């Protein structure tokens, strides 16, 4: 099997944190990247859910939003005007 080199630039802190995780999992970065690429090919999609670090998407905020929607659907919502900041 022929091989090729894949070169990726990443933030130093991200690399160090990832290396720590992979070492604890018994992997090196090259093996982890190969594992990731294999899973993408096998599944024909990302092998995990992509999550935003934006607090808007946090579980707690999503629960509040879901309850707000239920409240609206029960007719309990009140109209508010947006305030220009």
């Amino acid at each position: 099997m022929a091989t090729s080199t894949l070169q990726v630039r990443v933030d130093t802190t991200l690399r160090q944190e990832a290396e720590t995780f992979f070492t604890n999992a018994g992997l090196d970065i090259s093996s982890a990247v190969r594992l990731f690429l294999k899973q993408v090919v096998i599944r024909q999609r990302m092998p995990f859910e992509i999550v935003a670090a934006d607090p808007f998407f946090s579980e707690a905020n999503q629960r509040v939003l879901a309850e707000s929607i239920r409240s609206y659907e029960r007719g309990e919502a009140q109209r508010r005007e947006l305030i220009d900041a």
Side-chain angles (χ1 to χ4, degrees):
M1 165 178 54
T3 62
S4 64
T5 301
L6 175 65
Q7 195 172 40
V8 180
R9 293 189 183 278
V10 295
D11 177 87
T12 302
T13 303
L14 175 61
R15 180 187 175 129
Q16 291 169 343
E17 291 173 351
E19 279 181 327
T20 298
F21 173 83
F22 293 135
T23 299
N24 291 336
L27 297 167
D28 59 23
I29 286 188
S30 293
S31 298
V33 170
R34 277 192 298 278
L35 180 63
F36 167 75
L37 295 174
K38 282 272 194 187
Q39 287 298 306
V40 167
V41 170
I42 290 168
R43 297 168 187 244
Q44 290 296 295
R45 63 178 176 82
M46 294 297 281
F48 49 80
E49 180 182 359
I50 298 174
V51 223
D54 186 331
F56 176 81
F57 297 100
S58 70
E59 285 185 41
N61 197 43
Q62 293 302 306
R63 283 193 300 273
V64 169
L65 291 171
E67 178 52 37
S68 295
I69 291 168
R70 287 190 294 274
S71 174
Y72 171 78
E73 290 170 342
R74 290 189 303 261
E76 300 170 354
Q78 295 178 3
R79 181 170 173 78
R80 305 266 188 218
E81 296 296 324
L82 294 177
I83 300 172
D84 290 331

